[in-house]
Amino acid sequence: MEYISLDSIPHFADCSPLVTGLGYVLVDLKVVPQNGSIKVTAVITKPAGDSGAVGVNDCARVHRALLPRLEAVLDSQDIYMEVASPGMERLIKNPAEFALFVGRYVRVWDSQITDWVAGKIISSDDQSITLELVGEGVTEESAQMQAGQVSTIPYQRISKAKLLQLGG
């Protein structure tokens, strides 16, 4: 996986502080010109340590605050915007997202062992992710990795990743 700084995503730096001020974290932002209008898709989550799910009211609150900001930044009144939660098992496309989900569970395909590795995200930087491994979601081939162990996996070894709902 290639690490892309979230602030390098167009307009992310303009929108993230506003979303943070509302008590949420901006996970992803896509701004796409489409037939004379602009389509915006924003994904939000709760901050690390807040185990609550993002609901419709949360998305509506962020939508009401974010739309005027984007209208000003993009100099357009013709914006169609969707605000969504990351979902129960979000596919992680950019390793920069791991830092936003510290304390949550994830499953990554480690190309070195050619198997899935599941664990709770302890930390993440621009090179690797550190997981506290769990037994759920790990197949026999990765049985050498014991639950409770801490493993650091460089992003270059991760082919796929997604959030898991394991509790905690």
Side-chain angles (χ1 to χ4, degrees):
M1 296 182 96
E2 180 186 354
Y3 183 94
I4 300 167
S5 168
L6 294 175
D7 286 337
S8 71
I9 296 170
H11 310 293
F12 193 94
D14 297 321
C15 298
S16 183
L18 178 64
V19 174
T20 301
L22 294 171
Y24 304 96
V25 176
L26 186 60
V27 174
D28 194 13
L29 183 71
K30 288 186 177 67
V31 178
V32 181
Q34 199 172 48
N35 299 330
S37 65
I38 301 171
K39 181 179 180 191
V40 176
T41 305
V43 178
I44 61 168
T45 191
K46 300 270 178 109
D50 187 337
S51 60
V54 172
V56 173
N57 291 336
D58 301 311
C59 292
R61 183 172 180 226
V62 170
H63 186 283
R64 283 190 301 274
L66 201 52
L67 185 58
R69 166 74 55 91
L70 286 166
E71 287 173 341
V73 168
L74 299 171
D75 193 27
S76 175
Q77 297 292 308
D78 194 7
I79 297 175
Y80 171 75
M81 186 168 76
E82 295 177 2
V83 178
S85 75
M88 291 183 65
E89 294 191 353
R90 176 179 173 78
L91 293 175
I92 295 178
K93 302 167 197 100
N94 177 1
E97 293 180 28
F98 288 123
L100 305 176
F101 296 112
V102 168
R104 303 254 322 255
Y105 292 89
V106 69
R107 182 171 74 159
V108 300
W109 181 266
D110 186 338
S111 61
Q112 181 174 321
I113 64 169
T114 62
D115 207 349
W116 289 102
V117 176
K120 186 176 186 178
I121 302 171
I122 296 173
S123 66
S124 147
D125 59 26
D126 62 354
Q127 300 295 315
S128 62
I129 182 173
T130 302
L131 303 174
E132 179 182 341
L133 303 178
V134 296
E136 291 92 345
V138 180
T139 59
E140 287 183 35
E141 289 78 16
S142 60
Q144 73 272 13
M145 299 181 137
Q146 300 295 318
Q149 270 186 317
V150 173
S151 178
T152 298
I153 304 170
Y155 296 135
Q156 65 212 31
R157 285 183 13 207
I158 298 175
S159 302
K160 300 181 227 177
K162 72 179 194 173
L163 291 178
L164 293 177
Q165 295 300 310
L166 296 178

